[in-house]
Amino acid sequence: GAGVSQSPRYKVAKRGQDVALRCDPISGHVSLFWYQQALGQGPEFLTYFQNEAQLDKSGLPSDRFFAERPEGSVSTLKIQRTQQEDSAVYLCASSLVGDQPQHFGDGTRLSIL
Amino acid sequence: QQQVKQSPQSLIVQKGGISIINCAYENTAFDYFPWYQQFPGKGPALLIAIRPDVSEKKEGRFTISFNKSAKQFSLHIMDSQPGDSATYFCAATEGSTLGRLYFGRGTQLTVWP
């Protein structure tokens, strides 16, 4: 497909475990964004990449959250020592460049037990 | 602090009626205002967007009205259909934040047949 692909779609982890969420953006899209969406809320910005450079990580809630995009395409969001409050849907979006419309994936629903 | 305030939280409309969702913002640097539609288990999908140099934009049954002086904008869905039942998010961004979107909390729209 030509859309943004995220995996896994669902992830259940025990509190304290580390998790890794993957995002495959639309081919050729320079900009990549991660958002966190709590139940019944709008998405909240986490971080932004332009190619492989992480230009804004001001939305990451703690130093347990880490994102990378080493080759400028696929991105991984890693959460260390997960807590219950990390339970949410994590959305990835990509765009041709930063100020162009963002196309979202269907997200990864993370549940921390 | 919510950068974009959205109302109502939920909306019930009869088939064929007009659905109206309102949003307000404070940051006068915002220069792009998209609306997203989200179905359960799916990512947000761009519906329609407007820039502040126009007061209205129409695409099919969807219209954005924009009031720059009042810092408000709204989505009107004409001839609402049961298939329009979804959660709608307004959002805003400014060029200096490289495309980072600030979302409202969402409006859950139900269209009764």
Side-chain angles (χ1 to χ4, degrees):
Chain A
V4 177
S5 178
Q6 292 188 246
S7 61
R9 287 297 319 277
Y10 304 93
K11 176 70 178 177
V12 179
K14 292 182 179 179
R15 187 164 57 92
Q17 288 183 331
D18 298 347
V19 297
L21 313 179
R22 177 187 169 106
C23 172
D24 282 86
I26 294 172
S27 178
H29 278 195
V30 168
S31 299
L32 186 145
F33 303 81
W34 283 98
Y35 293 86
Q36 180 190 59
Q37 186 174 24
L39 189 64
Q41 301 293 320
E44 294 276 347
F45 171 82
L46 292 176
T47 188
Y48 163 70
F49 289 87
Q50 183 172 307
N51 295 307
E52 69 278 3
Q54 189 175 20
L55 298 186
D56 186 351
K57 55 181 180 179
S58 62
L60 296 176
S62 77
D63 59 7
R64 296 186 296 105
F65 287 71
F66 172 77
E68 60 183 4
R69 193 185 184 197
E71 297 179 358
S73 70
V74 171
S75 177
T76 303
L77 177 67
K78 297 179 180 178
I79 309 173
Q80 298 176 326
R81 305 181 304 280
T82 53
Q83 303 293 316
Q84 281 196 320
E85 61 262 29
D86 300 334
S87 295
V89 174
Y90 290 84
L91 295 164
C92 176
S94 71
S95 65
L96 276 172
V97 291
D99 62 348
Q100 294 299 307
Q102 294 180 26
H103 300 268
F104 283 80
D106 288 337
T108 294
R109 181 175 295 278
L110 175 65
S111 298
I112 305 300
L113 304 179
Chain B
Q1 183 182 356
Q2 197 76 15
Q3 294 261 4
V4 179
K5 296 182 180 178
Q6 182 172 348
S7 63
Q9 189 173 356
S10 63
L11 182 61
I12 300 174
V13 173
Q14 202 162 11
K15 179 182 175 182
I18 302 173
S19 303
I20 301 174
I21 304 170
N22 301 298
C23 286
Y25 64 97
E26 287 298 324
N27 186 349
T28 54
F30 285 152
D31 57 7
Y32 178 70
F33 302 87
W35 284 87
Y36 282 84
Q37 180 189 56
Q38 186 175 33
F39 292 103
K42 297 292 187 181
L46 179 65
L47 200 58
I48 186 172
I50 197 168
R51 293 196 183 272
D53 52 344
V54 297
S55 60
E56 186 176 281
K57 183 174 181 180
K58 183 176 181 180
E59 290 184 2
R61 296 184 295 110
F62 301 93
T63 299
I64 300 178
S65 297
F66 187 83
N67 186 330
K68 188 174 180 179
S69 60
K71 291 183 285 186
Q72 295 175 348
F73 57 111
S74 60
L75 176 69
H76 296 233
I77 305 175
M78 312 299 287
D79 187 27
S80 298
Q81 299 296 313
D84 296 331
S85 297
T87 301
Y88 292 81
F89 294 96
C90 59
T93 189
E94 56 172 303
S96 67
T97 58
L98 304 171
R100 166 183 180 165
L101 287 168
Y102 296 87
F103 283 87
R105 290 189 173 176
T107 296
Q108 188 167 353
L109 172 65
T110 303
V111 181
W112 289 97

PDB file of all heavy atoms in Angstrom, chain A residues 39-73:
ATOM      1  N   LEU A  39      -7.032   7.928  25.226  1.00  0.00           N
ATOM      2  CA  LEU A  39      -8.421   7.575  24.946  1.00  0.00           C
ATOM      3  C   LEU A  39      -9.334   8.795  25.052  1.00  0.00           C
ATOM      4  O   LEU A  39      -9.303   9.519  26.053  1.00  0.00           O
ATOM      5  CB  LEU A  39      -8.874   6.488  25.931  1.00  0.00           C
ATOM      6  CG  LEU A  39     -10.235   5.860  25.649  1.00  0.00           C
ATOM      7  CD1 LEU A  39     -10.203   5.112  24.319  1.00  0.00           C
ATOM      8  CD2 LEU A  39     -10.631   4.914  26.782  1.00  0.00           C
ATOM      9  N   GLY A  40     -10.093   9.063  23.997  1.00  0.00           N
ATOM     10  CA  GLY A  40     -11.034  10.173  24.018  1.00  0.00           C
ATOM     11  C   GLY A  40     -10.410  11.549  23.882  1.00  0.00           C
ATOM     12  O   GLY A  40     -11.077  12.561  24.123  1.00  0.00           O
ATOM     13  N   GLN A  41      -9.148  11.592  23.481  1.00  0.00           N
ATOM     14  CA  GLN A  41      -8.447  12.875  23.341  1.00  0.00           C
ATOM     15  C   GLN A  41      -7.911  13.058  21.928  1.00  0.00           C
ATOM     16  O   GLN A  41      -7.873  12.109  21.139  1.00  0.00           O
ATOM     17  CB  GLN A  41      -7.275  12.946  24.326  1.00  0.00           C
ATOM     18  CG  GLN A  41      -7.679  12.803  25.783  1.00  0.00           C
ATOM     19  CD  GLN A  41      -8.505  13.959  26.273  1.00  0.00           C
ATOM     20  OE1 GLN A  41      -8.242  15.115  25.948  1.00  0.00           O
ATOM     21  NE2 GLN A  41      -9.547  13.664  27.043  1.00  0.00           N
ATOM     22  N   GLY A  42      -7.477  14.270  21.633  1.00  0.00           N
ATOM     23  CA  GLY A  42      -6.818  14.513  20.364  1.00  0.00           C
ATOM     24  C   GLY A  42      -5.362  14.097  20.428  1.00  0.00           C
ATOM     25  O   GLY A  42      -4.782  13.990  21.514  1.00  0.00           O
ATOM     26  N   PRO A  43      -4.748  13.848  19.284  1.00  0.00           N
ATOM     27  CA  PRO A  43      -3.325  13.502  19.281  1.00  0.00           C
ATOM     28  C   PRO A  43      -2.470  14.624  19.865  1.00  0.00           C
ATOM     29  O   PRO A  43      -2.742  15.802  19.638  1.00  0.00           O
ATOM     30  CB  PRO A  43      -3.029  13.292  17.791  1.00  0.00           C
ATOM     31  CG  PRO A  43      -4.348  12.976  17.163  1.00  0.00           C
ATOM     32  CD  PRO A  43      -5.342  13.786  17.935  1.00  0.00           C
ATOM     33  N   GLU A  44      -1.436  14.216  20.585  1.00  0.00           N
ATOM     34  CA  GLU A  44      -0.474  15.169  21.153  1.00  0.00           C
ATOM     35  C   GLU A  44       0.898  14.908  20.531  1.00  0.00           C
ATOM     36  O   GLU A  44       1.368  13.774  20.495  1.00  0.00           O
ATOM     37  CB  GLU A  44      -0.383  14.987  22.678  1.00  0.00           C
ATOM     38  CG  GLU A  44      -1.656  15.337  23.421  1.00  0.00           C
ATOM     39  CD  GLU A  44      -1.781  16.829  23.704  1.00  0.00           C
ATOM     40  OE1 GLU A  44      -0.767  17.543  23.541  1.00  0.00           O
ATOM     41  OE2 GLU A  44      -2.878  17.271  24.079  1.00  0.00           O
ATOM     42  N   PHE A  45       1.542  15.963  20.088  1.00  0.00           N
ATOM     43  CA  PHE A  45       2.833  15.873  19.420  1.00  0.00           C
ATOM     44  C   PHE A  45       3.896  15.297  20.349  1.00  0.00           C
ATOM     45  O   PHE A  45       3.981  15.654  21.535  1.00  0.00           O
ATOM     46  CB  PHE A  45       3.250  17.272  18.965  1.00  0.00           C
ATOM     47  CG  PHE A  45       4.662  17.378  18.455  1.00  0.00           C
ATOM     48  CD1 PHE A  45       4.975  17.031  17.160  1.00  0.00           C
ATOM     49  CD2 PHE A  45       5.675  17.834  19.289  1.00  0.00           C
ATOM     50  CE1 PHE A  45       6.275  17.138  16.684  1.00  0.00           C
ATOM     51  CE2 PHE A  45       6.976  17.955  18.833  1.00  0.00           C
ATOM     52  CZ  PHE A  45       7.278  17.602  17.529  1.00  0.00           C
ATOM     53  N   LEU A  46       4.714  14.418  19.795  1.00  0.00           N
ATOM     54  CA  LEU A  46       5.852  13.882  20.542  1.00  0.00           C
ATOM     55  C   LEU A  46       7.170  14.381  19.952  1.00  0.00           C
ATOM     56  O   LEU A  46       7.992  14.968  20.653  1.00  0.00           O
ATOM     57  CB  LEU A  46       5.836  12.354  20.518  1.00  0.00           C
ATOM     58  CG  LEU A  46       4.695  11.655  21.278  1.00  0.00           C
ATOM     59  CD1 LEU A  46       4.774  10.149  21.070  1.00  0.00           C
ATOM     60  CD2 LEU A  46       4.761  11.989  22.762  1.00  0.00           C
ATOM     61  N   THR A  47       7.386  14.110  18.652  1.00  0.00           N
ATOM     62  CA  THR A  47       8.664  14.435  18.062  1.00  0.00           C
ATOM     63  C   THR A  47       8.546  14.526  16.546  1.00  0.00           C
ATOM     64  O   THR A  47       7.583  14.036  15.952  1.00  0.00           O
ATOM     65  CB  THR A  47       9.735  13.393  18.464  1.00  0.00           C
ATOM     66  OG1 THR A  47      11.022  13.820  18.029  1.00  0.00           O
ATOM     67  CG2 THR A  47       9.427  12.022  17.866  1.00  0.00           C
ATOM     68  N   TYR A  48       9.560  15.163  15.927  1.00  0.00           N
ATOM     69  CA  TYR A  48       9.548  15.426  14.491  1.00  0.00           C
ATOM     70  C   TYR A  48      10.934  15.170  13.899  1.00  0.00           C
ATOM     71  O   TYR A  48      11.957  15.563  14.478  1.00  0.00           O
ATOM     72  CB  TYR A  48       9.140  16.879  14.241  1.00  0.00           C
ATOM     73  CG  TYR A  48       9.468  17.399  12.863  1.00  0.00           C
ATOM     74  CD1 TYR A  48       8.772  16.936  11.749  1.00  0.00           C
ATOM     75  CD2 TYR A  48      10.459  18.357  12.669  1.00  0.00           C
ATOM     76  CE1 TYR A  48       9.060  17.406  10.483  1.00  0.00           C
ATOM     77  CE2 TYR A  48      10.756  18.834  11.400  1.00  0.00           C
ATOM     78  CZ  TYR A  48      10.057  18.367  10.312  1.00  0.00           C
ATOM     79  OH  TYR A  48      10.343  18.822   9.047  1.00  0.00           O
ATOM     80  N   PHE A  49      10.940  14.502  12.741  1.00  0.00           N
ATOM     81  CA  PHE A  49      12.164  14.256  11.991  1.00  0.00           C
ATOM     82  C   PHE A  49      12.060  14.898  10.609  1.00  0.00           C
ATOM     83  O   PHE A  49      11.016  14.851   9.961  1.00  0.00           O
ATOM     84  CB  PHE A  49      12.391  12.755  11.776  1.00  0.00           C
ATOM     85  CG  PHE A  49      12.770  12.001  13.003  1.00  0.00           C
ATOM     86  CD1 PHE A  49      11.795  11.495  13.855  1.00  0.00           C
ATOM     87  CD2 PHE A  49      14.103  11.779  13.325  1.00  0.00           C
ATOM     88  CE1 PHE A  49      12.139  10.792  14.990  1.00  0.00           C
ATOM     89  CE2 PHE A  49      14.456  11.072  14.446  1.00  0.00           C
ATOM     90  CZ  PHE A  49      13.476  10.575  15.292  1.00  0.00           C
ATOM     91  N   GLN A  50      13.180  15.451  10.176  1.00  0.00           N
ATOM     92  CA  GLN A  50      13.323  15.831   8.779  1.00  0.00           C
ATOM     93  C   GLN A  50      14.467  14.972   8.246  1.00  0.00           C
ATOM     94  O   GLN A  50      15.621  15.144   8.657  1.00  0.00           O
ATOM     95  CB  GLN A  50      13.631  17.314   8.638  1.00  0.00           C
ATOM     96  CG  GLN A  50      13.715  17.777   7.189  1.00  0.00           C
ATOM     97  CD  GLN A  50      13.834  19.285   7.096  1.00  0.00           C
ATOM     98  OE1 GLN A  50      13.047  20.026   7.649  1.00  0.00           O
ATOM     99  NE2 GLN A  50      14.841  19.747   6.383  1.00  0.00           N
ATOM    100  N   ASN A  51      14.129  14.062   7.351  1.00  0.00           N
ATOM    101  CA  ASN A  51      15.074  12.993   6.972  1.00  0.00           C
ATOM    102  C   ASN A  51      15.539  12.275   8.243  1.00  0.00           C
ATOM    103  O   ASN A  51      14.712  11.857   9.034  1.00  0.00           O
ATOM    104  CB  ASN A  51      16.222  13.573   6.158  1.00  0.00           C
ATOM    105  CG  ASN A  51      15.750  14.119   4.826  1.00  0.00           C
ATOM    106  OD1 ASN A  51      15.080  13.423   4.062  1.00  0.00           O
ATOM    107  ND2 ASN A  51      16.069  15.369   4.531  1.00  0.00           N
ATOM    108  N   GLU A  52      16.831  12.158   8.469  1.00  0.00           N
ATOM    109  CA  GLU A  52      17.298  11.430   9.644  1.00  0.00           C
ATOM    110  C   GLU A  52      17.484  12.340  10.858  1.00  0.00           C
ATOM    111  O   GLU A  52      17.755  11.857  11.954  1.00  0.00           O
ATOM    112  CB  GLU A  52      18.605  10.694   9.326  1.00  0.00           C
ATOM    113  CG  GLU A  52      19.811  11.592   9.103  1.00  0.00           C
ATOM    114  CD  GLU A  52      19.875  12.151   7.696  1.00  0.00           C
ATOM    115  OE1 GLU A  52      18.938  11.892   6.895  1.00  0.00           O
ATOM    116  OE2 GLU A  52      20.855  12.863   7.399  1.00  0.00           O
ATOM    117  N   ALA A  53      17.340  13.643  10.671  1.00  0.00           N
ATOM    118  CA  ALA A  53      17.580  14.582  11.758  1.00  0.00           C
ATOM    119  C   ALA A  53      16.329  14.784  12.614  1.00  0.00           C
ATOM    120  O   ALA A  53      15.254  15.111  12.101  1.00  0.00           O
ATOM    121  CB  ALA A  53      18.039  15.919  11.173  1.00  0.00           C
ATOM    122  N   GLN A  54      16.501  14.607  13.902  1.00  0.00           N
ATOM    123  CA  GLN A  54      15.407  14.847  14.831  1.00  0.00           C
ATOM    124  C   GLN A  54      15.426  16.322  15.207  1.00  0.00           C
ATOM    125  O   GLN A  54      16.253  16.756  16.016  1.00  0.00           O
ATOM    126  CB  GLN A  54      15.551  13.961  16.069  1.00  0.00           C
ATOM    127  CG  GLN A  54      14.338  13.989  16.997  1.00  0.00           C
ATOM    128  CD  GLN A  54      14.466  12.997  18.150  1.00  0.00           C
ATOM    129  OE1 GLN A  54      15.574  12.557  18.485  1.00  0.00           O
ATOM    130  NE2 GLN A  54      13.357  12.630  18.765  1.00  0.00           N
ATOM    131  N   LEU A  55      14.544  17.100  14.627  1.00  0.00           N
ATOM    132  CA  LEU A  55      14.586  18.549  14.784  1.00  0.00           C
ATOM    133  C   LEU A  55      13.781  19.054  15.973  1.00  0.00           C
ATOM    134  O   LEU A  55      13.980  20.187  16.413  1.00  0.00           O
ATOM    135  CB  LEU A  55      14.089  19.227  13.499  1.00  0.00           C
ATOM    136  CG  LEU A  55      14.904  18.949  12.236  1.00  0.00           C
ATOM    137  CD1 LEU A  55      14.401  19.786  11.074  1.00  0.00           C
ATOM    138  CD2 LEU A  55      16.386  19.189  12.473  1.00  0.00           C
ATOM    139  N   ASP A  56      12.869  18.261  16.466  1.00  0.00           N
ATOM    140  CA  ASP A  56      12.047  18.713  17.584  1.00  0.00           C
ATOM    141  C   ASP A  56      11.643  17.480  18.388  1.00  0.00           C
ATOM    142  O   ASP A  56      10.981  16.601  17.863  1.00  0.00           O
ATOM    143  CB  ASP A  56      10.819  19.460  17.077  1.00  0.00           C
ATOM    144  CG  ASP A  56       9.980  20.100  18.185  1.00  0.00           C
ATOM    145  OD1 ASP A  56      10.250  19.818  19.384  1.00  0.00           O
ATOM    146  OD2 ASP A  56       9.058  20.861  17.859  1.00  0.00           O
ATOM    147  N   LYS A  57      12.072  17.435  19.627  1.00  0.00           N
ATOM    148  CA  LYS A  57      11.646  16.339  20.508  1.00  0.00           C
ATOM    149  C   LYS A  57      11.029  16.907  21.776  1.00  0.00           C
ATOM    150  O   LYS A  57      11.000  16.243  22.813  1.00  0.00           O
ATOM    151  CB  LYS A  57      12.800  15.402  20.811  1.00  0.00           C
ATOM    152  CG  LYS A  57      14.033  16.047  21.396  1.00  0.00           C
ATOM    153  CD  LYS A  57      15.110  14.980  21.625  1.00  0.00           C
ATOM    154  CE  LYS A  57      16.369  15.586  22.216  1.00  0.00           C
ATOM    155  NZ  LYS A  57      17.409  14.566  22.460  1.00  0.00           N
ATOM    156  N   SER A  58      10.516  18.107  21.674  1.00  0.00           N
ATOM    157  CA  SER A  58       9.992  18.805  22.849  1.00  0.00           C
ATOM    158  C   SER A  58       8.741  18.150  23.433  1.00  0.00           C
ATOM    159  O   SER A  58       8.394  18.391  24.577  1.00  0.00           O
ATOM    160  CB  SER A  58       9.684  20.259  22.496  1.00  0.00           C
ATOM    161  OG  SER A  58       8.688  20.323  21.485  1.00  0.00           O
ATOM    162  N   GLY A  59       8.054  17.324  22.665  1.00  0.00           N
ATOM    163  CA  GLY A  59       6.837  16.690  23.154  1.00  0.00           C
ATOM    164  C   GLY A  59       7.049  15.367  23.857  1.00  0.00           C
ATOM    165  O   GLY A  59       6.111  14.818  24.445  1.00  0.00           O
ATOM    166  N   LEU A  60       8.252  14.830  23.829  1.00  0.00           N
ATOM    167  CA  LEU A  60       8.516  13.559  24.503  1.00  0.00           C
ATOM    168  C   LEU A  60       8.304  13.751  25.997  1.00  0.00           C
ATOM    169  O   LEU A  60       8.924  14.624  26.607  1.00  0.00           O
ATOM    170  CB  LEU A  60       9.925  13.074  24.205  1.00  0.00           C
ATOM    171  CG  LEU A  60      10.210  12.733  22.743  1.00  0.00           C
ATOM    172  CD1 LEU A  60      11.672  12.349  22.553  1.00  0.00           C
ATOM    173  CD2 LEU A  60       9.291  11.617  22.250  1.00  0.00           C
ATOM    174  N   PRO A  61       7.456  12.934  26.637  1.00  0.00           N
ATOM    175  CA  PRO A  61       7.064  13.195  28.026  1.00  0.00           C
ATOM    176  C   PRO A  61       8.155  12.927  29.057  1.00  0.00           C
ATOM    177  O   PRO A  61       8.088  13.474  30.157  1.00  0.00           O
ATOM    178  CB  PRO A  61       5.858  12.276  28.238  1.00  0.00           C
ATOM    179  CG  PRO A  61       5.951  11.244  27.190  1.00  0.00           C
ATOM    180  CD  PRO A  61       6.678  11.828  26.043  1.00  0.00           C
ATOM    181  N   SER A  62       9.107  12.084  28.730  1.00  0.00           N
ATOM    182  CA  SER A  62      10.182  11.826  29.687  1.00  0.00           C
ATOM    183  C   SER A  62      11.373  11.241  28.939  1.00  0.00           C
ATOM    184  O   SER A  62      11.286  10.935  27.750  1.00  0.00           O
ATOM    185  CB  SER A  62       9.711  10.841  30.768  1.00  0.00           C
ATOM    186  OG  SER A  62       9.695   9.520  30.267  1.00  0.00           O
ATOM    187  N   ASP A  63      12.480  11.099  29.667  1.00  0.00           N
ATOM    188  CA  ASP A  63      13.677  10.532  29.026  1.00  0.00           C
ATOM    189  C   ASP A  63      13.551   9.030  28.812  1.00  0.00           C
ATOM    190  O   ASP A  63      14.477   8.386  28.310  1.00  0.00           O
ATOM    191  CB  ASP A  63      14.937  10.869  29.823  1.00  0.00           C
ATOM    192  CG  ASP A  63      14.881  10.355  31.247  1.00  0.00           C
ATOM    193  OD1 ASP A  63      13.928   9.624  31.595  1.00  0.00           O
ATOM    194  OD2 ASP A  63      15.789  10.688  32.030  1.00  0.00           O
ATOM    195  N   ARG A  64      12.403   8.452  29.165  1.00  0.00           N
ATOM    196  CA  ARG A  64      12.177   7.041  28.849  1.00  0.00           C
ATOM    197  C   ARG A  64      11.769   6.870  27.379  1.00  0.00           C
ATOM    198  O   ARG A  64      11.781   5.766  26.859  1.00  0.00           O
ATOM    199  CB  ARG A  64      11.075   6.475  29.752  1.00  0.00           C
ATOM    200  CG  ARG A  64      11.429   6.461  31.240  1.00  0.00           C
ATOM    201  CD  ARG A  64      10.352   5.757  32.057  1.00  0.00           C
ATOM    202  NE  ARG A  64       9.064   6.453  32.018  1.00  0.00           N
ATOM    203  CZ  ARG A  64       8.027   6.048  31.310  1.00  0.00           C
ATOM    204  NH1 ARG A  64       8.101   4.943  30.552  1.00  0.00           N
ATOM    205  NH2 ARG A  64       6.886   6.740  31.346  1.00  0.00           N
ATOM    206  N   PHE A  65      11.399   7.965  26.766  1.00  0.00           N
ATOM    207  CA  PHE A  65      10.957   7.942  25.370  1.00  0.00           C
ATOM    208  C   PHE A  65      12.119   8.342  24.466  1.00  0.00           C
ATOM    209  O   PHE A  65      12.781   9.364  24.696  1.00  0.00           O
ATOM    210  CB  PHE A  65       9.785   8.908  25.155  1.00  0.00           C
ATOM    211  CG  PHE A  65       8.485   8.441  25.732  1.00  0.00           C
ATOM    212  CD1 PHE A  65       8.281   8.402  27.105  1.00  0.00           C
ATOM    213  CD2 PHE A  65       7.453   8.042  24.899  1.00  0.00           C
ATOM    214  CE1 PHE A  65       7.067   7.971  27.640  1.00  0.00           C
ATOM    215  CE2 PHE A  65       6.231   7.622  25.420  1.00  0.00           C
ATOM    216  CZ  PHE A  65       6.048   7.586  26.790  1.00  0.00           C
ATOM    217  N   PHE A  66      12.298   7.532  23.430  1.00  0.00           N
ATOM    218  CA  PHE A  66      13.404   7.778  22.508  1.00  0.00           C
ATOM    219  C   PHE A  66      12.941   7.439  21.096  1.00  0.00           C
ATOM    220  O   PHE A  66      12.282   6.423  20.886  1.00  0.00           O
ATOM    221  CB  PHE A  66      14.596   6.905  22.914  1.00  0.00           C
ATOM    222  CG  PHE A  66      15.730   6.909  21.939  1.00  0.00           C
ATOM    223  CD1 PHE A  66      16.603   7.978  21.872  1.00  0.00           C
ATOM    224  CD2 PHE A  66      15.940   5.829  21.088  1.00  0.00           C
ATOM    225  CE1 PHE A  66      17.653   7.987  20.982  1.00  0.00           C
ATOM    226  CE2 PHE A  66      16.991   5.826  20.183  1.00  0.00           C
ATOM    227  CZ  PHE A  66      17.845   6.915  20.128  1.00  0.00           C
ATOM    228  N   ALA A  67      13.261   8.272  20.122  1.00  0.00           N
ATOM    229  CA  ALA A  67      12.879   7.999  18.740  1.00  0.00           C
ATOM    230  C   ALA A  67      14.086   8.137  17.842  1.00  0.00           C
ATOM    231  O   ALA A  67      14.998   8.927  18.117  1.00  0.00           O
ATOM    232  CB  ALA A  67      11.766   8.948  18.294  1.00  0.00           C
ATOM    233  N   GLU A  68      14.081   7.361  16.769  1.00  0.00           N
ATOM    234  CA  GLU A  68      15.175   7.439  15.810  1.00  0.00           C
ATOM    235  C   GLU A  68      14.670   7.182  14.404  1.00  0.00           C
ATOM    236  O   GLU A  68      13.633   6.540  14.207  1.00  0.00           O
ATOM    237  CB  GLU A  68      16.277   6.435  16.167  1.00  0.00           C
ATOM    238  CG  GLU A  68      15.834   4.988  16.187  1.00  0.00           C
ATOM    239  CD  GLU A  68      16.959   4.042  16.618  1.00  0.00           C
ATOM    240  OE1 GLU A  68      18.052   4.513  16.974  1.00  0.00           O
ATOM    241  OE2 GLU A  68      16.710   2.817  16.598  1.00  0.00           O
ATOM    242  N   ARG A  69      15.445   7.670  13.454  1.00  0.00           N
ATOM    243  CA  ARG A  69      15.127   7.479  12.029  1.00  0.00           C
ATOM    244  C   ARG A  69      16.469   7.454  11.287  1.00  0.00           C
ATOM    245  O   ARG A  69      16.808   8.373  10.559  1.00  0.00           O
ATOM    246  CB  ARG A  69      14.237   8.620  11.525  1.00  0.00           C
ATOM    247  CG  ARG A  69      13.600   8.373  10.172  1.00  0.00           C
ATOM    248  CD  ARG A  69      12.843   9.605   9.695  1.00  0.00           C
ATOM    249  NE  ARG A  69      12.140   9.337   8.436  1.00  0.00           N
ATOM    250  CZ  ARG A  69      11.674  10.289   7.630  1.00  0.00           C
ATOM    251  NH1 ARG A  69      11.832  11.575   7.947  1.00  0.00           N
ATOM    252  NH2 ARG A  69      11.035   9.974   6.518  1.00  0.00           N
ATOM    253  N   PRO A  70      17.261   6.434  11.519  1.00  0.00           N
ATOM    254  CA  PRO A  70      18.678   6.436  11.140  1.00  0.00           C
ATOM    255  C   PRO A  70      18.966   6.615   9.654  1.00  0.00           C
ATOM    256  O   PRO A  70      19.998   7.193   9.311  1.00  0.00           O
ATOM    257  CB  PRO A  70      19.182   5.084  11.645  1.00  0.00           C
ATOM    258  CG  PRO A  70      17.953   4.250  11.816  1.00  0.00           C
ATOM    259  CD  PRO A  70      16.852   5.180  12.161  1.00  0.00           C
ATOM    260  N   GLU A  71      18.082   6.146   8.781  1.00  0.00           N
ATOM    261  CA  GLU A  71      18.360   6.254   7.352  1.00  0.00           C
ATOM    262  C   GLU A  71      17.372   7.171   6.648  1.00  0.00           C
ATOM    263  O   GLU A  71      17.278   7.183   5.420  1.00  0.00           O
ATOM    264  CB  GLU A  71      18.367   4.860   6.714  1.00  0.00           C
ATOM    265  CG  GLU A  71      19.475   3.970   7.265  1.00  0.00           C
ATOM    266  CD  GLU A  71      19.471   2.585   6.648  1.00  0.00           C
ATOM    267  OE1 GLU A  71      18.585   2.304   5.808  1.00  0.00           O
ATOM    268  OE2 GLU A  71      20.352   1.790   7.007  1.00  0.00           O
ATOM    269  N   GLY A  72      16.625   7.912   7.431  1.00  0.00           N
ATOM    270  CA  GLY A  72      15.717   8.884   6.843  1.00  0.00           C
ATOM    271  C   GLY A  72      14.433   8.318   6.292  1.00  0.00           C
ATOM    272  O   GLY A  72      13.688   9.029   5.613  1.00  0.00           O
ATOM    273  N   SER A  73      14.142   7.028   6.573  1.00  0.00           N
ATOM    274  CA  SER A  73      12.834   6.520   6.146  1.00  0.00           C
ATOM    275  C   SER A  73      12.121   5.906   7.340  1.00  0.00           C
ATOM    276  O   SER A  73      11.404   6.621   8.034  1.00  0.00           O
ATOM    277  CB  SER A  73      12.955   5.547   4.978  1.00  0.00           C
ATOM    278  OG  SER A  73      13.541   4.349   5.349  1.00  0.00           O
TER     279      SER A  73
END
